[in-house]
Amino acid sequence: MEIIADLHIHSRYSMATSRQGTPEYLDLWARKKGISLVGTGDFTHPAWREELKEKLKEAKSEYIIQEYMAGEDFDADVYIDAISNEAVAVFSKKKIETRIGGASKTISFKDEKLFAFIQNIVKRFKFYGPVDMDFFYQDGEYYLSEINPRFGGAYLHAFGAGVDFPKMILNNMKGITNDPIIGDYDEGVLMLMYDEVVITTLDQLRGDYND
């Protein structure tokens, strides 16, 4: 059975969202767009949580409830070749700091187990081009949190570390299949967002601090 879902959604209590983001309007517009499953983002906001408890208890359909995950939060920028339909690039990073829903400080790492998990995920969906994936790591296992079929907000980190998605897009536009370069980057590369984006390595950062 095919289900069209939107699991990455915010309530009207988030920044830069419509005040009409009520359960009723979310349901209405989901139906108009052909979406049959809608997530309940911002569920930790007390006012939104109380509203959901009040308005969803009368629904007749079954709910899908995500288990609470207390593990570490990771992110991966993935490029899925538009010709081979395979993941040809993966850049994984650990979130050090998150602001307003987005990662502002991250550090790159490599894990073959995560790379294999991502390749397995890609085989089950029909995505092309840049995809942003979020994961939880708990009890020695990776759990997929969400998939966004677009450039991730922190893709600058991957680009700064040499993982060039725009080049891959141009190759596909020219009919060229990209060669796999999964994990072809350095570990310990940091992205630090302040008013500007800083791409550096852990050793360089320590050196600057000691100087």
Side-chain angles (χ1 to χ4, degrees), residues 114-131:
L114 177 59
F115 295 158
F117 186 34
I118 290 172
Q119 288 173 301
N120 189 32
I121 291 169
V122 169
K123 292 177 182 178
R124 298 172 181 269
F125 294 94
K126 296 179 181 179
F127 291 124
Y128 305 95
V131 173

Side-chain angles (χ1 to χ4, degrees), residues 5 28 49 55 61 76-77 90 122 130 146 151 159 174 190 200:
L28 172 65
R49 186 168 63 244
K55 295 182 176 178
S61 59
D77 296 293
V90 176
V122 169
E146 63 181 61
F151 280 100
F159 186 79
K174 295 175 182 177
L190 290 146
T200 185

Side-chain angles (χ1 to χ4, degrees), residues 54-114:
E54 175 187 347
K55 295 182 176 178
L56 293 183
K57 64 185 178 183
E58 298 178 358
K60 296 179 182 179
S61 59
E62 296 181 357
Y63 304 120
I64 298 176
I65 301 176
Q66 177 180 308
E67 176 186 352
Y68 175 72
M69 305 298 290
E72 294 182 277
D73 191 8
F74 295 104
D75 182 82
D77 296 293
V78 183
Y79 188 82
I80 303 168
D81 193 87
I83 299 174
S84 68
N85 305 133
E86 295 180 354
V88 292
V90 176
F91 179 83
S92 55
K93 53 192 180 288
K94 178 180 179 180
K95 297 177 183 177
I96 301 172
E97 179 184 84
T98 300
R99 294 187 199 172
I100 318 176
S104 55
K105 293 180 176 62
T106 54
I107 184 168
S108 63
F109 75 100
K110 300 181 185 182
D111 188 340
E112 293 298 330
K113 186 175 183 177
L114 177 59

Side-chain angles (χ1 to χ4, degrees), residues 2 35 68 76 93 98 103 110 117 132 139 149 161 167-168 189 207:
E2 185 176 273
I35 299 172
Y68 175 72
K93 53 192 180 288
T98 300
K110 300 181 185 182
F117 186 34
D132 173 54
D139 301 326
K167 180 179 179 181
M168 295 179 180
V189 177

Side-chain angles (χ1 to χ4, degrees), residues 1-10 23 26-41 56 59 61-66 125 145 147:
M1 178 176 65
E2 185 176 273
I3 297 176
I4 300 176
D6 185 349
L7 303 179
H8 185 202
I9 195 165
H10 293 285
L26 293 176
D27 173 66
L28 172 65
W29 286 101
R31 293 175 188 273
K32 288 185 176 182
K33 293 180 179 181
I35 299 172
S36 56
L37 177 62
V38 179
T40 53
L56 293 183
S61 59
E62 296 181 357
Y63 304 120
I64 298 176
I65 301 176
Q66 177 180 308
F125 294 94
S145 172
I147 302 176

Side-chain angles (χ1 to χ4, degrees), residues 11-12 21 27 31 34 77 89 103 122 134 137 148-149 162 171 188 207 209:
S11 71
R12 65 182 183 280
D27 173 66
R31 293 175 188 273
D77 296 293
V122 169
D134 287 356
Y137 185 72
N148 299 293
N171 283 342
Y209 178 79

